[in-house]
Amino acid sequence: MNYERKVDSMDSLAGTESFYEADDNRRKRMLTIAAVALIAVILLGVWYAFAHSKGADTAASGAGGAGAQNVPNVTVVIPGRVSVQAAIAANGTIAARREMPVGIAGEGGQVVRVLVEPGQWVGAGQTLAVIDRAVQSQQAASLAASIKVAQADADLAQAELERAQALVGRGFISKADMDRKRATRDAANARVRVSQAQYQEALARNGRLNIVAPAAGLVLTRQVEPGQVVGAGSGVLFRMARGGEMEMLAQLAEADLQRVKVGTRATITPVGTDLQIAGQVWQVSPIVNMDTRQGTVRIAVPYSAALRPGGFADARLVSGTEQAPLLPESAVQSGPDGNFVLVVGADDKIERKLVKVGTVTDGGVSIASGLTGNEKVVVLAGAFLNPGDKVKPVVQKSSQ
């Protein structure tokens, strides 16, 4: 019994010792892992400190470090000044060059038919509307009959005069009777001429009843309908453009007005179209509006279906040549304040300059004002740059 208790006590002691040995092993492994992790953190800190110190030394020495590498290369152009066409942009309204208002020329009456519509071409003297002439026709017929009556009286008076002349030599007719018969014949002939004049007057009046075109041209408006009674107070019934000729009434600033002469070439673009219609200045306003400080330039334009009187259009007038900077279209940008370009200043920083655009051609965009031509103008990537940005300019050949 004692022996068995001793054996059990020894087994229990051995189990306790095994438990403590396993716990010590776990503790050693944890310590080892912690030591390895600590060493790794220390090595990482040393590497980071070394790399940071090297980068700072490199940037301080100016040997092309990370800060220098972040400065972008920007393509710029020095445009200089070249000979370009001096263009003036303007806008205004389209109108008939010679507008013809057509109304009643005669007595008027009730309109029977209207023969034309707006947009139709008519010839000189062509009837536009027919006026009822039933009464006037009867009056003309009456006058025509009166001519025949007067002519019959004149023929009778002539015959009596001839018979009297045959009897004068025989002494049957006195000289006084001959004078009376001659006067009767002359009065009858005069009445014939009066009747003829009255008849021709009636025909002329009837001919003026209809509304006719005073000249060949294009019908613009129609203000009359069948059944309408018209007269001298009816006003304008049709409007026409003589020969279909149009013009643009362009409004120009006082300074630009001085540069435009009669004969200056122009290109007209009606709003809403891509058409470019060639025109020519035929009149320059001799006065300037005191309120707007603008004057009117009248540009003759040939007929086109896209030109509608009263419509709006843009114009570009070419007034000779001038010396101006010429830039690629990509260099000119637009903003709320107008057109502008980005230039590289003396400190290699971006600056923004407002410009006024002149002529736009296949060779580029001329700058009317805002640049001298000696600036370094950014050609591309202007949308990604802001004033004050540091850049490295790379000069390319001028666009000229």
Side-chain angles (χ1 to χ4, degrees):
M1 294 292 292
N2 293 334
Y3 174 75
E4 290 178 357
R5 289 196 190 97
K6 187 180 291 186
V7 172
D8 291 340
S9 299
M10 291 179 66
D11 290 341
S12 176
L13 181 61
T16 303
E17 290 177 353
S18 298
F19 172 77
Y20 283 112
E21 287 180 2
D23 186 55
D24 290 340
N25 292 335
R26 284 196 300 271
R27 204 173 287 170
K28 288 179 181 179
R29 284 196 299 269
M30 293 296 294
L31 291 175
T32 302
I33 293 172
V36 171
L38 180 61
I39 293 172
V41 171
I42 293 173
L43 292 176
L44 183 61
V46 172
W47 175 83
Y48 177 78
F50 176 76
H52 181 72
S53 176
K54 183 178 180 181
D57 293 342
T58 304
S61 63
Q69 292 176 353
N70 288 333
V71 177
N73 293 335
V74 174
T75 302
V76 298
V77 63
I78 302 177
R81 300 181 75 86
V82 297
S83 179
V84 296
Q85 287 184 335
I88 301 173
N91 51 53
T93 57
I94 300 297
R97 182 175 178 181
R98 293 301 184 194
E99 185 174 296
M100 299 183 297
V102 182
I104 291 294
E107 298 175 357
Q110 186 177 30
V111 178
V112 178
R113 287 180 298 162
V114 179
L115 305 179
V116 297
E117 296 290 342
Q120 291 183 357
W121 291 87
V122 296
Q126 180 176 336
T127 301
L128 306 180
V130 178
I131 305 296
D132 177 45
R133 59 182 65 196
V135 176
Q136 290 85 350
S137 297
Q138 295 301 320
Q139 291 175 346
S142 175
L143 292 173
S146 68
I147 294 176
K148 294 181 179 181
V149 172
Q151 187 64 52
D153 292 340
D155 293 342
L156 179 60
Q158 180 65 31
E160 290 180 353
L161 178 61
E162 290 175 355
R163 285 194 297 269
Q165 287 175 342
L167 298 175
V168 169
R170 300 177 185 181
F172 295 105
I173 300 295
S174 66
K175 185 177 180 181
D177 291 337
M178 286 297 300
D179 291 340
R180 281 193 294 269
K181 291 185 180 297
R182 191 176 290 111
T184 301
R185 189 272 317 267
D186 292 343
N189 288 335
R191 284 192 294 272
V192 172
R193 290 192 292 272
V194 170
S195 297
Q196 290 175 340
Q198 290 175 343
Y199 176 67
Q200 294 299 325
E201 179 186 1
L203 292 180
R205 288 179 180 275
N206 292 348
R208 297 178 65 187
L209 285 175
N210 291 341
I211 306 172
V212 299
L218 179 68
V219 179
L220 300 178
T221 63
R222 160 185 162 175
Q223 301 293 332
V224 62
E225 296 297 334
Q228 182 177 342
V229 178
V230 296
S234 299
V236 177
L237 302 180
F238 296 91
R239 290 189 180 274
M240 294 178 53
R242 190 180 69 182
E245 296 178 345
M246 300 291 173
E247 69 175 355
M248 177 181 173
L249 305 177
Q251 300 296 321
L252 294 184
E254 185 176 1
D256 292 333
L257 203 65
Q258 303 296 330
R259 301 162 54 191
V260 178
K261 307 296 181 184
V262 174
T264 299
R265 293 181 292 112
T267 302
I268 310 300
T269 302
V271 170
T273 70
D274 295 329
L275 295 178
Q276 293 187 342
I277 304 173
Q280 191 175 44
V281 174
W282 72 277
Q283 187 180 88
V284 179
S285 175
I287 62 173
V288 174
N289 188 295
M290 292 187 296
D291 296 328
T292 63
R293 311 310 303 174
Q294 290 183 330
T296 302
V297 172
R298 303 178 70 175
I299 305 172
V301 186
Y303 171 77
S304 173
L307 297 174
R308 293 178 172 82
F312 201 72
D314 296 322
R316 189 173 69 89
L317 293 84
V318 179
S319 59
T321 60
E322 62 181 359
Q323 297 292 320
L326 190 66
L327 295 174
E329 292 187 18
S330 60
V332 182
Q333 302 181 61
S334 298
D337 298 332
N339 296 316
F340 67 92
V341 297
L342 298 179
V343 301
V344 179
D347 55 354
D348 289 343
K349 289 185 177 181
I350 296 295
E351 298 176 1
R352 176 174 172 173
K353 286 197 172 184
L354 294 175
V355 296
K356 182 179 179 181
V357 174
T359 308
V360 179
T361 64
D362 295 336
V365 180
S366 66
I367 305 301
S369 62
L371 293 178
T372 63
N374 299 322
E375 298 88 350
K376 296 178 182 178
V377 182
V378 176
V379 178
L380 297 171
F384 302 98
L385 298 174
N386 296 310
D389 290 350
K390 185 82 171 181
V391 297
K392 181 179 180 182
V394 178
V395 180
Q396 76 167 17
K397 185 179 179 181
S398 173
S399 60
Q400 65 184 333

